[in-house]
Every structure is written in C-alpha cells, then in structure tokens.
Amino acid sequence: MEPILIFKVLSNETRRQILEWLKNPDENFGSQTCLPTDADFKGGICVGSIQAKAGLTQSVVSSYLLMMQKAGLLESRRFGQWTYYRRNEKTIQEFSDYIRNEL
C-alpha cells in the first residue's frame, strides 16, 4: 500500500464517489446482466455502468478506474468483452489502519 498514491486518488470527487458507489454495488448499479452467472467476482460492476452513473466519457472513467486499481483500491476482472471492477477491501482496511495509527 502506498498512502501517497491513495491520497492522490481520493483527492478527486468523482473517484471518491465511484469508491462510495462500489461499497453498495447492488443498491447503486442494480444487477449486472453481462456478468456470467458462474463468475466468482461478487460485487463486480461493468465499466459501462460506472460510466453511465458518473456521466463522464468512457475514456475519463477508464483512466480513473485504472488509477484507482494501481493505487490498490480496486480489483478488476475481464469477462468476454467487459471489464468489471470492485473494491479491494483489504487495501481499504490497511489505509484506514494507516490513517488511524500513523496520522
């Protein structure tokens, strides 16, 4: 975990919102119809669904998601032509512990 990278990601309101939306994916995005029923990626949301909710271009949303993944806040998996993202709760917990114990 690199706290500086995470702080940079969280400095953008839309990236923070995406992380918040992914905390309750069913509530914020509904069911993901393109996700295979046998897929072991609970809570995964398609880039297109995130893009539609954010109201930004797909290229902007994709760059945000990639930045969030590089910071360790998101995990991704590709199924066919679709890429799905979900929160990486382990890194989020480590960052929370860092804030509580170090700052």
Side-chain angles (χ1 to χ4, degrees), residues 25-99:
D26 293 337
E27 178 182 311
N28 289 301
F29 296 99
S31 67
Q32 296 296 289
T33 57
C34 296
L35 188 63
T37 54
D38 62 342
D40 183 24
F41 203 63
K42 186 174 179 356
I45 301 297
C46 182
V47 172
S49 296
I50 297 169
Q51 182 263 326
K53 187 164 181 78
L56 300 171
T57 64
Q58 186 169 356
S59 62
V60 170
V61 170
S62 291
S63 70
Y64 283 178
L65 294 171
L66 185 59
M67 179 184 244
M68 295 168 77
Q69 183 180 14
K70 285 181 178 179
L73 296 172
L74 297 180
E75 302 172 311
S76 71
R77 186 152 325 146
R78 191 163 179 85
F79 295 97
Q81 63 186 15
W82 294 281
T83 302
Y84 290 79
Y85 285 87
R86 69 179 179 191
R87 289 166 48 112
N88 182 341
E89 296 298 340
K90 181 180 180 226
T91 299
I92 292 169
Q93 183 59 55
E94 288 173 358
F95 182 67
S96 176
D97 292 344
Y98 168 80
I99 297 233

